[in-house]
Structures are given as C-alpha cells and as structure tokens.
Amino acid sequence: SQTIHQWPATLVQPVGSPLSLECTVEGTSNPNLYWYRQAAGRGLQLLFYSVGIGQISSEVPQNLSASRPQDRQFILSSKKLLLSDSGFYLCAWVTGLKNYGYTFGSGTRLTVV
Amino acid sequence: DQQVKQNSPSLSVQEGRISILNCDYTNSMFDYFLWYKKYPAEGPTFLISISSIKDKNEDGRFTVFLNKSAKHLSLHIVPSQPGDSAVYFCAASAWRGSTLGRLYFGRGTQLTVWP
C-alpha cells in the first residue's frame, strides 16, 4: 500500500539551532514530493517541491532548504532557525492521475523558542 | 499573489443544516479542483474533487459545484454534523501547467457545527 511517513511529530528548537525534518514515501516510485507550511492563522504555503532525486524547486526565499537524496525521501533543513520558522510542516505527494490529489503526512509541529 | 481565495475564515452552522463553503480562483488555467479537510495537529485529508469539464460532483453528504465563468466553486455539506467541524481548504491545479501536480491552496475556512 502507499503510505507517507513524516517525523518527528513535534519539535521545540531554540533560535539559531539547526533543523532536519524527514519525509519518506512507501509503495510508489518517482513521486512528486512537496513541503508545505501552515503558519498560525494562515493557509498552506508551498515551500519546496521535487520531481526527482536531486531536483529541488524553491517557492519562497527563506533560510530553509530541501534535499532529495533518495527517490522516496524528502528532507527539509535549516542551518539556523528563526522565530518566524515556527509552524506546522507538512510533506505531501501526488497520488495518481485518477482522482488525483495530495496525500499528506501527519505533519510536524515546530516551535522555535 | 493568492490564486485561490477563501474569503470567509470561519463559518458556524447548526447540526442538520447545510454548510456552504466558498472558494474563488483567478487563474483560468486551473482545470482540477479539490477540497481538503484538516483537523488540528493532523495533515489535511482529501474530501472531494471536480474536473473543469463538470459543474457538479457529489459524494454522499458532500457536493462540490463549479462555476467556471465566475471562477467560483463551493462545497455543500448536507446535513452538517458536529464531526464535520474542521478547517476546509480549497485547492486548484493546472495539469496543462509547468509544475505537474502542484496544488494551489486557499487560506482555509474553519467550519464549526454546533448541536
């Protein structure tokens, strides 16, 4: 079956510390993968998307970066977190052409203190 | 630039009545529209979708209407239930576009269904 895993579920990090969030997909190959962020009181903001290994497109300039070292692995990173990086981070992938849409991971609640 | 807009941040409806959530879009290239439901601390889950070749799609209590000339879609929930209380996101995509599979989301509408 096709599933998406995202961890950790919650994270509290001090300002200036590094970040690494991981997302893995099972049951498919060469998926389009996405990182979204939902900040307080705002909608879903696309941060990065990837159509293949090593292929990353950035939608919003910021101190975050993404990498796709393997076909079904998508990583969101930061070298130094800012307070404004707090939010709910979601990984998603496109599930297919018929009735297509995203399947989202369970999300990571990041609080930068 | 917000290409998908949900102008009502919240909606409160009594149980058993109809909930109508609205969504507007600006990009005429969008040809596929979806609604997602999101509970706190969880990822959004797919609810219902509609292709631009249709003007209505129904799935149980949920119906999505599309008015292409007005660039407007709506989600109807009948009858509304307390378990429907969640944030609802409208999303749109353009398969003909360059970013295959990318969805553009509205800011969401918090639906509260009270007994």
PDB file of all heavy atoms in Angstrom, chain A residues 65-80:
ATOM      1  N   SER A  65      16.017  24.939   3.499  1.00  0.00           N
ATOM      2  CA  SER A  65      16.454  24.254   2.293  1.00  0.00           C
ATOM      3  C   SER A  65      15.855  22.860   2.276  1.00  0.00           C
ATOM      4  O   SER A  65      15.372  22.368   3.291  1.00  0.00           O
ATOM      5  CB  SER A  65      17.980  24.182   2.222  1.00  0.00           C
ATOM      6  OG  SER A  65      18.481  23.423   3.311  1.00  0.00           O
ATOM      7  N   ALA A  66      15.876  22.240   1.119  1.00  0.00           N
ATOM      8  CA  ALA A  66      15.335  20.885   0.999  1.00  0.00           C
ATOM      9  C   ALA A  66      16.288  20.041   0.180  1.00  0.00           C
ATOM     10  O   ALA A  66      17.046  20.560  -0.649  1.00  0.00           O
ATOM     11  CB  ALA A  66      13.951  20.913   0.354  1.00  0.00           C
ATOM     12  N   SER A  67      16.243  18.755   0.421  1.00  0.00           N
ATOM     13  CA  SER A  67      17.068  17.831  -0.350  1.00  0.00           C
ATOM     14  C   SER A  67      16.298  16.550  -0.602  1.00  0.00           C
ATOM     15  O   SER A  67      15.388  16.186   0.146  1.00  0.00           O
ATOM     16  CB  SER A  67      18.380  17.523   0.390  1.00  0.00           C
ATOM     17  OG  SER A  67      18.106  16.886   1.625  1.00  0.00           O
ATOM     18  N   ARG A  68      16.662  15.899  -1.677  1.00  0.00           N
ATOM     19  CA  ARG A  68      16.033  14.613  -2.010  1.00  0.00           C
ATOM     20  C   ARG A  68      17.154  13.635  -2.356  1.00  0.00           C
ATOM     21  O   ARG A  68      17.493  13.437  -3.518  1.00  0.00           O
ATOM     22  CB  ARG A  68      15.074  14.764  -3.177  1.00  0.00           C
ATOM     23  CG  ARG A  68      14.270  13.488  -3.424  1.00  0.00           C
ATOM     24  CD  ARG A  68      13.076  13.774  -4.252  1.00  0.00           C
ATOM     25  NE  ARG A  68      12.366  12.553  -4.617  1.00  0.00           N
ATOM     26  CZ  ARG A  68      11.281  12.530  -5.375  1.00  0.00           C
ATOM     27  NH1 ARG A  68      10.791  13.673  -5.860  1.00  0.00           N
ATOM     28  NH2 ARG A  68      10.701  11.386  -5.650  1.00  0.00           N
ATOM     29  N   PRO A  69      17.720  13.035  -1.314  1.00  0.00           N
ATOM     30  CA  PRO A  69      18.862  12.138  -1.532  1.00  0.00           C
ATOM     31  C   PRO A  69      18.476  10.790  -2.133  1.00  0.00           C
ATOM     32  O   PRO A  69      19.298  10.150  -2.783  1.00  0.00           O
ATOM     33  CB  PRO A  69      19.431  11.974  -0.120  1.00  0.00           C
ATOM     34  CG  PRO A  69      18.264  12.207   0.786  1.00  0.00           C
ATOM     35  CD  PRO A  69      17.409  13.225   0.091  1.00  0.00           C
ATOM     36  N   GLN A  70      17.232  10.381  -1.924  1.00  0.00           N
ATOM     37  CA  GLN A  70      16.749   9.119  -2.477  1.00  0.00           C
ATOM     38  C   GLN A  70      15.368   9.354  -3.098  1.00  0.00           C
ATOM     39  O   GLN A  70      14.711  10.351  -2.818  1.00  0.00           O
ATOM     40  CB  GLN A  70      16.645   8.046  -1.385  1.00  0.00           C
ATOM     41  CG  GLN A  70      17.957   7.734  -0.698  1.00  0.00           C
ATOM     42  CD  GLN A  70      17.800   6.666   0.367  1.00  0.00           C
ATOM     43  OE1 GLN A  70      17.070   5.691   0.181  1.00  0.00           O
ATOM     44  NE2 GLN A  70      18.472   6.845   1.488  1.00  0.00           N
ATOM     45  N   ASP A  71      14.948   8.419  -3.917  1.00  0.00           N
ATOM     46  CA  ASP A  71      13.711   8.575  -4.667  1.00  0.00           C
ATOM     47  C   ASP A  71      12.515   8.860  -3.775  1.00  0.00           C
ATOM     48  O   ASP A  71      11.647   9.675  -4.111  1.00  0.00           O
ATOM     49  CB  ASP A  71      13.452   7.312  -5.506  1.00  0.00           C
ATOM     50  CG  ASP A  71      12.181   7.415  -6.320  1.00  0.00           C
ATOM     51  OD1 ASP A  71      11.959   8.488  -6.942  1.00  0.00           O
ATOM     52  OD2 ASP A  71      11.409   6.452  -6.366  1.00  0.00           O
ATOM     53  N   ARG A  72      12.455   8.191  -2.626  1.00  0.00           N
ATOM     54  CA  ARG A  72      11.279   8.306  -1.780  1.00  0.00           C
ATOM     55  C   ARG A  72      11.572   8.999  -0.457  1.00  0.00           C
ATOM     56  O   ARG A  72      10.881   8.785   0.542  1.00  0.00           O
ATOM     57  CB  ARG A  72      10.690   6.905  -1.541  1.00  0.00           C
ATOM     58  CG  ARG A  72       9.997   6.337  -2.769  1.00  0.00           C
ATOM     59  CD  ARG A  72       9.635   4.876  -2.622  1.00  0.00           C
ATOM     60  NE  ARG A  72      10.808   4.020  -2.741  1.00  0.00           N
ATOM     61  CZ  ARG A  72      10.741   2.691  -2.665  1.00  0.00           C
ATOM     62  NH1 ARG A  72       9.595   2.092  -2.436  1.00  0.00           N
ATOM     63  NH2 ARG A  72      11.826   1.966  -2.797  1.00  0.00           N
ATOM     64  N   GLN A  73      12.595   9.832  -0.440  1.00  0.00           N
ATOM     65  CA  GLN A  73      12.973  10.551   0.766  1.00  0.00           C
ATOM     66  C   GLN A  73      13.099  12.033   0.457  1.00  0.00           C
ATOM     67  O   GLN A  73      13.762  12.433  -0.508  1.00  0.00           O
ATOM     68  CB  GLN A  73      14.309  10.003   1.305  1.00  0.00           C
ATOM     69  CG  GLN A  73      14.740  10.613   2.621  1.00  0.00           C
ATOM     70  CD  GLN A  73      16.114  10.106   3.057  1.00  0.00           C
ATOM     71  OE1 GLN A  73      16.953   9.782   2.212  1.00  0.00           O
ATOM     72  NE2 GLN A  73      16.345  10.046   4.348  1.00  0.00           N
ATOM     73  N   PHE A  74      12.482  12.836   1.309  1.00  0.00           N
ATOM     74  CA  PHE A  74      12.495  14.287   1.116  1.00  0.00           C
ATOM     75  C   PHE A  74      12.802  14.910   2.470  1.00  0.00           C
ATOM     76  O   PHE A  74      12.137  14.606   3.463  1.00  0.00           O
ATOM     77  CB  PHE A  74      11.125  14.730   0.598  1.00  0.00           C
ATOM     78  CG  PHE A  74      11.119  16.045  -0.121  1.00  0.00           C
ATOM     79  CD1 PHE A  74      12.266  16.588  -0.691  1.00  0.00           C
ATOM     80  CD2 PHE A  74       9.935  16.754  -0.268  1.00  0.00           C
ATOM     81  CE1 PHE A  74      12.231  17.783  -1.384  1.00  0.00           C
ATOM     82  CE2 PHE A  74       9.890  17.954  -0.962  1.00  0.00           C
ATOM     83  CZ  PHE A  74      11.045  18.468  -1.508  1.00  0.00           C
ATOM     84  N   ILE A  75      13.820  15.769   2.511  1.00  0.00           N
ATOM     85  CA  ILE A  75      14.286  16.309   3.785  1.00  0.00           C
ATOM     86  C   ILE A  75      14.210  17.826   3.759  1.00  0.00           C
ATOM     87  O   ILE A  75      14.616  18.467   2.776  1.00  0.00           O
ATOM     88  CB  ILE A  75      15.731  15.863   4.073  1.00  0.00           C
ATOM     89  CG1 ILE A  75      15.779  14.331   4.209  1.00  0.00           C
ATOM     90  CG2 ILE A  75      16.250  16.509   5.357  1.00  0.00           C
ATOM     91  CD1 ILE A  75      17.174  13.770   4.333  1.00  0.00           C
ATOM     92  N   LEU A  76      13.707  18.396   4.822  1.00  0.00           N
ATOM     93  CA  LEU A  76      13.652  19.843   4.997  1.00  0.00           C
ATOM     94  C   LEU A  76      14.653  20.227   6.078  1.00  0.00           C
ATOM     95  O   LEU A  76      14.658  19.627   7.146  1.00  0.00           O
ATOM     96  CB  LEU A  76      12.246  20.271   5.404  1.00  0.00           C
ATOM     97  CG  LEU A  76      12.009  21.767   5.597  1.00  0.00           C
ATOM     98  CD1 LEU A  76      12.061  22.484   4.249  1.00  0.00           C
ATOM     99  CD2 LEU A  76      10.652  22.025   6.246  1.00  0.00           C
ATOM    100  N   SER A  77      15.491  21.220   5.784  1.00  0.00           N
ATOM    101  CA  SER A  77      16.569  21.558   6.710  1.00  0.00           C
ATOM    102  C   SER A  77      16.686  23.053   6.891  1.00  0.00           C
ATOM    103  O   SER A  77      16.198  23.844   6.087  1.00  0.00           O
ATOM    104  CB  SER A  77      17.899  21.025   6.175  1.00  0.00           C
ATOM    105  OG  SER A  77      17.854  19.646   5.931  1.00  0.00           O
ATOM    106  N   SER A  78      17.390  23.392   7.960  1.00  0.00           N
ATOM    107  CA  SER A  78      17.789  24.765   8.187  1.00  0.00           C
ATOM    108  C   SER A  78      19.087  24.754   8.974  1.00  0.00           C
ATOM    109  O   SER A  78      19.268  23.919   9.854  1.00  0.00           O
ATOM    110  CB  SER A  78      16.722  25.543   8.952  1.00  0.00           C
ATOM    111  OG  SER A  78      17.195  26.843   9.271  1.00  0.00           O
ATOM    112  N   LYS A  79      19.950  25.687   8.684  1.00  0.00           N
ATOM    113  CA  LYS A  79      21.199  25.780   9.451  1.00  0.00           C
ATOM    114  C   LYS A  79      20.990  26.571  10.733  1.00  0.00           C
ATOM    115  O   LYS A  79      21.588  26.271  11.769  1.00  0.00           O
ATOM    116  CB  LYS A  79      22.282  26.423   8.596  1.00  0.00           C
ATOM    117  CG  LYS A  79      22.723  25.590   7.416  1.00  0.00           C
ATOM    118  CD  LYS A  79      23.839  26.281   6.639  1.00  0.00           C
ATOM    119  CE  LYS A  79      24.295  25.404   5.478  1.00  0.00           C
ATOM    120  NZ  LYS A  79      25.369  26.070   4.676  1.00  0.00           N
ATOM    121  N   LYS A  80      20.116  27.587  10.644  1.00  0.00           N
ATOM    122  CA  LYS A  80      19.854  28.415  11.823  1.00  0.00           C
ATOM    123  C   LYS A  80      18.391  28.830  11.832  1.00  0.00           C
ATOM    124  O   LYS A  80      17.959  29.645  10.991  1.00  0.00           O
ATOM    125  CB  LYS A  80      20.729  29.672  11.819  1.00  0.00           C
ATOM    126  CG  LYS A  80      22.194  29.434  12.095  1.00  0.00           C
ATOM    127  CD  LYS A  80      22.947  30.756  12.182  1.00  0.00           C
ATOM    128  CE  LYS A  80      24.424  30.527  12.521  1.00  0.00           C
ATOM    129  NZ  LYS A  80      25.170  31.811  12.642  1.00  0.00           N
TER     130      LYS A  80
END
